[in-house]
Amino acid sequence: MKLDLFLKNGLLVFPGEGALPGGLGIRDGKIVLTAALGEEFDAARSIDCQGQWIMPGIIDPHVHFGFGDPENDFRTESRSAALGGVTSVISFYRTKDFREGFDAERTRAESQSVIDFSYHLGLTNDLHVKTLAECYERFGVSSYKMYMMYKGQAGLAKGFTDIDDGLLFAAMRETAALPGAILGVHCENVEVIPYLRDPLRAEGRDDLVAWDEQSPDFLEAENVHRVCYFARKTGCAVNIVHLSSKEALDEVRRHRYAGGPPMYVETCPHYLFTDKHDPAGVLAKANPPLRSQDDIDALWEGILDGTVTTVGTDHVPRKRATKEKSVWSASNGLPGVATFLPILMEAGYHQRQVPPEVLAMVASRTAARTYNMHGKGTLTPGADADIVVVDPDLERVVDPANLLSYSDYSPFEGRSLRGWPTMTFSRGRLLAENGKLTDAAIDGTGHYLPRLPKHQR
Ligand SMILES: [Zn+2]
């Protein structure tokens, strides 16, 4: 059998299992074999990966494409993702009635994306809950998100009138009835925040530490408690997205029990890497806020013991100008899809000796499993040839100009990171090489990923 591509002499990283020197054979966009070190195969192209890791492509299950330039984000941000070794993303879709808007949104993204993609549906009204089963079937979307951040007054300011604990409970009941479906929840108790925030503002505080003080870890943990408790009562699989603190993580641990519904935890590269004293200041303003060194340590512990199941960037590609304000009025969120892998490499592999197979687990394999992304997150023959080749020792300073995002800043700009992708393959096509896109990075070559569990299709 002649291969299209043979990646040889690398370190094959098998998520959750281990890493072995060897090679990988690719044909017709699929992985067809793994080879022992020194084994040779006839291939149209052979690439020597000496000293490099060969990993399943990174999956970023939490991006907000559309928050930068709605018309073009799927073009620019999917390119930025490919550059960073990310081969699939799940973005968020929010509109009044999904049944009316989804197809057009998907079609536009299909014409722009250079990597595979899918959506989570943002549930903000009763209609969303009532039509959930229909949307699951019709669009193949098995993951949803509720924003406890947009309850009450905070929701009204954004035009949401229906978000309360009742809607949360109803969404959980509905999700629990759909095979393989999962509800992600943004956990911060937004009703308490003003009582902490207003005095800090009145004092004239304007710093990231104050941003943490206005929404401290226990307001996140309180919401986590409520979500996990309702999960136990409804049997709904829940996912605490962008979890930021030890306090909240311990709350999940308290609620998990054998035979209970899955309680997944996602954290973000920024919570694993930096804290509220970051000199980037308001550029690093996010929800939930950056926490402390203790929280960073606890999240890495959570990755090692399996409590933290996935990492997603919460990528928000806005311009620097939206950040250059007081901490109270600057925009929320950070661009991060292009620095996802280098940050895990620097903070995980280099600073903490976290093994490659653990990083591949939280940055690829578990996301594929949790979100029903068939053929992704694995090097097993038969899987899509979504591959990232990583030079673990390549050191580079983060410069937003090289990341190709619509966003023109990075909260990590100027920082030196060790461990960058040297090649990104999507379904066997080389999209990026040595920090540059290739000619194969053509708009619309990414595929939409329907995500129903296998027996449902
Ligand atoms: Zn988000």
Side-chain angles (χ1 to χ4, degrees), residues 136-201:
Y136 169 92
E137 285 293 339
R138 228 167 106 180
F139 308 127
V141 175
S142 55
S143 54
Y144 320 108
K145 185 175 174 192
M146 289 267 326
Y147 307 80
M148 302 319 282
M149 220 19 216
Y150 299 148
K151 280 171 86 176
Q153 291 301 315
L156 286 180
K158 294 216 166 235
F160 304 132
T161 53
D162 294 357
I163 299 178
D164 58 17
D165 289 348
L167 193 72
L168 173 69
F169 182 79
M172 284 186 160
R173 247 187 355 197
E174 223 30 56
T175 304
L178 301 172
I182 176 173
L183 182 70
V185 188
H186 180 142
C187 290
E188 278 180 277
N189 188 319
V190 74
E191 290 151 313
V192 177
I193 288 175
Y195 292 89
L196 297 168
R197 183 189 58 209
D198 295 350
L200 291 165
R201 278 186 90 151

Side-chain angles (χ1 to χ4, degrees), residues 25 114 207 213 226 245 262 405:
V114 302
D207 53 89
E213 285 173 29
R226 181 182 320 195
S245 64
S405 172

Side-chain angles (χ1 to χ4, degrees), residues 227-236 254-257 261 263:
V227 168
C228 291
Y229 185 76
F230 277 156
R232 295 170 63 145
K233 297 301 163 188
T234 57
C236 177
R254 266 195 283 281
H255 279 282
R256 277 183 176 164
Y257 64 99
M263 295 175 190

Side-chain angles (χ1 to χ4, degrees), residues 60 77 79-86 313 315 335-343 402-405 420-421:
D60 190 342
E77 307 316 295
R79 286 163 178 254
S80 186
L83 216 51
V86 175
T313 63
H315 179 83
V337 74
T339 47
F340 183 172
L341 178 58
I343 287 197
N402 297 333
L403 304 178
L404 303 185
S405 172
W420 291 78

Side-chain angles (χ1 to χ4, degrees), residues 62 64 145 242 314:
H62 194 147
H64 294 278
K145 185 175 174 192
H242 50 52
D314 205 357

Side-chain angles (χ1 to χ4, degrees), residues 68-187:
D69 172 2
E71 293 306 311
N72 291 298
D73 271 3
F74 259 95
R75 176 176 296 122
T76 55
E77 307 316 295
S78 69
R79 286 163 178 254
S80 186
L83 216 51
V86 175
T87 52
S88 298
V89 292
I90 311 182
S91 191
F92 289 83
Y93 182 56
R94 217 160 63 191
T95 194
K96 217 169 164 192
D97 184 342
F98 300 124
R99 298 170 302 174
E100 280 166 19
F102 190 88
D103 286 329
E105 164 64 26
R106 171 185 160 171
T107 304
R108 191 182 42 72
E110 273 176 327
S111 73
Q112 297 182 336
S113 191
V114 302
I115 58 169
D116 291 356
F117 66 96
S118 191
Y119 294 98
H120 308 286
L121 301 178
L123 310 183
T124 60
N125 63 37
D126 286 323
L127 181 70
H128 291 155
V129 174
K130 289 199 182 93
T131 58
L132 205 59
E134 185 184 343
C135 292
Y136 169 92
E137 285 293 339
R138 228 167 106 180
F139 308 127
V141 175
S142 55
S143 54
Y144 320 108
K145 185 175 174 192
M146 289 267 326
Y147 307 80
M148 302 319 282
M149 220 19 216
Y150 299 148
K151 280 171 86 176
Q153 291 301 315
L156 286 180
K158 294 216 166 235
F160 304 132
T161 53
D162 294 357
I163 299 178
D164 58 17
D165 289 348
L167 193 72
L168 173 69
F169 182 79
M172 284 186 160
R173 247 187 355 197
E174 223 30 56
T175 304
L178 301 172
I182 176 173
L183 182 70
V185 188
H186 180 142
C187 290

